[in-house]
């Protein structure tokens, strides 16, 4: 069982936003990866640095996700925010779990393709990446709905207190 604490710690908040930043960076600059990966598979390491930036930013994200899961286990998290309907709380818990799974498996599949030289993992990587994009979009929309429509100040839970 995960421990329940009053709020997210500063380290958890920093990790949340740093991971969002790396995810968005790799999404935007993932554009040329298709071609770079084909060249890499043929042993022609052209345009190496954009490819390596994508790979190492992604690997950094994976390391941060692992640290985040360890911190979560050690420090715990606040109880789910109050919801008017029980299904919303269940949906929130499972969305967070799914986000952690996808955050780990997107870079893992990318690594299997790049370092393992397994073509199919490139397709799986892109598939999982699109799933992460959709699920995190729903997640962000739900957070904004809480904050601005339900006016419960939810966003403040994921921001630094003075
Ligand atoms: C963790 C965040 C990551 C995100 C958001 C991400 C995103 C993307 C995107 C948007 C593409 C282009 C998809 C397309 O061509 O339509 C791509 C391709 C690719 N990425 Fe990543 N990536 C991440 C991590 C990684 C890591 C850690 C590696 C390898 C170590 C990697 C290796 C690749 C490879 C090999 C391709 C080409 C796949 C193919 O063309 O079949 N990615 N990624
Ligand atoms: C602008 C976009 C985003 C906003 C406004 C946002 C906001 C939030 C907020 C307010 C929470 C706390 C929820 C609560 O207290 O119950 C949270 C938690 C979380 N967010 Fe985001 N988020 C965004 C993007 C993302 C993205 C892109 C990811 C994944 C790549 C992500 C992953 C998570 C996870 C896994 C949690 C659960 C933390 C835990 O309890 O361990 N978020 N987010």
């Amino acid at each position: 069982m995960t421990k329940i604490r009053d709020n997210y710690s500063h380290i958890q908040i920093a990790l949340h936003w740093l991971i969002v930043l790396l995810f968005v960076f790799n999404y935007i600059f993932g554009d040329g990866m298709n071609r770079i990966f084909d060249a890499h598979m043929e042993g022609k390491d052209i345009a190496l640095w954009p490819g390596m930036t994508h790979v190492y930013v992604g690997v950094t994200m994976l390391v941060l996700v692992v640290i985040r899961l360890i911190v979560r286990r050690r420090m715990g998290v606040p109880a789910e925010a109050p919801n008017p309907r029980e299904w919303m709380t269940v949906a929130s818990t499972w969305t967070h779990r799914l986000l952690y799974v996808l955050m780990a498996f997107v870079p893992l599949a990318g690594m299997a393709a790049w370092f393992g030289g397994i073509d199919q993992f490139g397709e799986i990587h892109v598939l999982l990446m699109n799933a992460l994009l959709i699920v995190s979009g729903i997640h962000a929309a739900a957070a904004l709905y809480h904050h601005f429509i339900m006016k419960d100040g939810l966003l403040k839970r994921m921001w630094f207190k003075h």
Side-chain angles (χ1 to χ4, degrees):
M1 272 303 279
T2 312
K3 274 183 260 173
I4 301 293
R5 49 179 287 135
D6 286 345
N7 44 34
Y8 287 107
S9 62
H10 282 188
I11 173 106
Q12 286 171 313
I13 296 167
L15 285 169
H16 176 273
W17 292 110
L18 197 55
I19 289 169
V20 172
L21 215 68
L22 296 184
F23 173 61
V24 171
F25 178 93
N26 254 12
Y27 179 73
I28 294 171
F29 295 104
D31 222 22
M33 274 311 282
N34 209 331
R35 231 170 0 92
I36 294 169
F37 182 50
D38 286 345
H40 172 73
M41 290 292 272
E42 289 162 16
K44 296 188 287 200
D45 274 336
I46 49 134
L48 199 63
W49 75 262
M52 289 326 275
T53 307
H54 182 88
V55 165
Y56 287 114
V57 166
V59 171
T60 306
M61 180 176 130
L62 177 63
V63 171
L64 294 181
V65 169
V66 172
I67 295 174
R68 187 167 163 189
L69 285 169
I70 296 170
V71 170
R72 191 180 202 279
R73 182 118 202 127
R74 294 246 170 111
M75 298 182 114
V77 280
E80 288 284 352
N83 278 304
R85 301 262 185 283
E86 172 63 20
W87 70 263
M88 289 177 161
T89 306
V90 175
S92 161
T93 303
W94 282 97
T95 304
H96 291 164
R97 285 180 186 160
L98 186 57
L99 283 171
Y100 280 118
V101 170
L102 290 170
M103 284 191 294
F105 281 95
V106 166
L108 281 174
M111 288 163 75
W114 187 267
F115 298 115
I118 311 166
D119 225 341
Q120 290 84 337
F121 275 104
E123 284 159 43
I124 296 173
H125 174 63
V126 175
L127 209 76
L128 292 176
M129 202 272 314
N130 282 316
L132 178 54
L133 195 67
I134 293 168
V135 178
S136 62
I138 294 170
H139 159 74
L144 296 174
Y145 180 84
H146 263 272
H147 191 85
F148 292 108
I149 311 284
M150 287 168 61
K151 299 195 192 307
D152 62 1
L154 186 85
L155 290 185
K156 288 196 211 124
R157 281 169 47 124
M158 208 31 116
W159 198 249
F160 305 96
K161 279 103 212 144
H162 303 292

